[in-house]
Amino acid sequence: MSVLKISNIKKSFDGVEVLRDISLSVEQGEVVGIIGPSGSGKSTLLRCATLLEKMDSGSLEYGADAAAWVNQHGKTVYAPNKKLKGIKSKFGLVFQNFNLFPHYSVMKNIIDAPVSVQKRDKAEVLAEAEQLLEKMGLADKADAYPFQLSGGQQQRVSIARALALNPDILFFDEPTSALDPELTGDILKVIRDLAKERMTMVIVTHEIDFACNVADRIIFMADGVIVEEGPAEEVIRNPKMERTKTFLNRMSRQD
């Protein structure tokens, strides 16, 4: 069964169609990379998938749980809030700008949602959080505050916070775009390690070589539609669509 299934999503802002009938599914253990030019709808797709934006039409399922569906009148209906709360525990989201709570310590940033939202045992969550910090190379930063950390360290805390929810799927929205180039490698290594562990992930990224090496499948978006998708190596090394070729040629010239 798919971990995530998105069907016929449409989304407009102020009359401008940003997503135009997007459908995709993600299987357990699969890493999907989403690439495309700025303004193609990549981040909006992630925001709709993670319930931060309401889609205008379409359906959204996490495994057997429907977060939104189309009713008999052709309108999208969302599940009741109580059910949506449970569905939100099925995914984690890592933002490009970290989005840590500045007044919380690193440890409190990580354990807050599992304890207060998921109502899990605090001692158990703390033990897991310590392991996650160790894994991220931040074992000595539990009592630090975000402003005391580098951008790369903040992003690793953000990844640990998402993993602390024990999600079925992890979303990354341009996880390195706010970082200096020398810090980018650290974050890409963390994601690479998660891929080796077969963590189910959807990664919006402009790091084309990284996407080619880590993703099982690549989706190329432009102008609110999926232009091309397929095995990562195939789409990036041998694209079929002219629009994909043009984008990849431009990206390779920028490197």
Side-chain angles (χ1 to χ4, degrees):
M1 183 187 283
S2 301
V3 176
L4 170 69
K5 189 175 181 190
I6 289 169
S7 303
N8 310 111
I9 285 189
K10 293 182 182 177
K11 178 68 181 175
S12 297
F13 293 103
D14 300 322
V16 177
E17 219 174 6
V18 179
L19 297 178
R20 299 188 287 156
D21 203 21
I22 297 262
S23 297
L24 66 96
S25 61
V26 182
E27 303 302 314
Q28 189 167 0
E30 187 179 26
V31 179
V32 176
I34 302 180
I35 62 172
S38 296
S40 58
K42 306 182 301 293
S43 291
T44 300
L45 176 62
L46 247 58
R47 290 179 67 81
C48 286
T50 55
L51 303 168
L52 291 172
E53 292 282 358
K54 283 202 166 184
M55 49 202 182
D56 299 331
S57 64
S59 62
L60 176 62
E61 295 170 42
Y62 281 92
D65 290 318
W69 57 92
V70 178
N71 67 13
Q72 67 267 37
H73 306 296
K75 300 284 184 189
T76 294
V77 179
Y78 279 82
N81 284 337
K82 189 176 179 184
K83 186 173 183 186
L84 287 181
K85 193 174 176 182
I87 289 172
K88 284 175 183 176
S89 290
K90 291 177 176 285
F91 59 77
L93 175 59
V94 178
F95 299 89
Q96 52 185 302
N97 294 317
F98 326 133
N99 280 31
L100 298 173
F101 294 114
H103 55 295
Y104 283 2
S105 68
V106 164
M107 182 58 82
K108 187 161 171 56
N109 262 287
I110 293 170
I111 70 169
D112 187 57
V115 172
S116 61
V117 179
Q118 293 183 329
K119 308 296 183 193
R120 286 165 54 204
D121 178 70
K122 189 173 182 179
E124 180 189 301
V125 172
L126 275 168
E128 282 183 19
E130 284 170 6
Q131 287 179 343
L132 284 168
L133 283 175
E134 184 82 40
K135 185 176 183 174
M136 297 293 156
L138 297 169
D140 59 338
K141 300 295 184 186
D143 298 324
Y145 284 81
F147 76 91
Q148 297 170 309
L149 305 178
S150 70
Q153 288 171 328
Q154 288 187 59
Q155 191 60 298
R156 277 180 276 156
V157 173
S158 180
I159 294 169
R161 179 178 64 177
L163 288 169
L165 295 166
N166 292 324
D168 295 339
I169 183 171
L170 207 48
F171 294 94
F172 291 87
D173 187 8
E174 298 277 14
T176 60
S177 67
L179 300 177
D180 294 335
E182 66 265 28
L183 297 174
T184 295
D186 286 349
I187 299 305
L188 298 184
K189 183 185 181 302
V190 169
I191 299 172
R192 209 174 265 117
D193 289 345
L194 290 171
K196 284 177 189 163
E197 295 167 16
R198 304 312 297 164
M199 179 79 207
T200 309
M201 294 185 281
V202 175
I203 308 165
V204 168
T205 184
H206 59 278
E207 303 280 349
I208 302 299
D209 285 340
F210 165 73
C212 185
N213 292 331
V214 170
D216 300 301
R217 181 158 51 103
I218 291 287
I219 289 172
F220 171 64
M221 284 180 67
D223 304 316
V225 299
I226 293 174
V227 175
E228 185 167 352
E229 70 175 299
E233 186 86 17
E234 203 173 289
V235 172
I236 287 172
R237 303 289 178 234
N238 189 28
K240 293 181 175 63
M241 307 299 287
E242 278 305 318
R243 185 71 182 84
T244 318
K245 289 177 188 173
T246 304
F247 170 77
L248 291 169
N249 285 338
R250 197 170 72 244
M251 291 298 283
S252 64
R253 286 200 299 273
Q254 289 173 7
D255 288 343

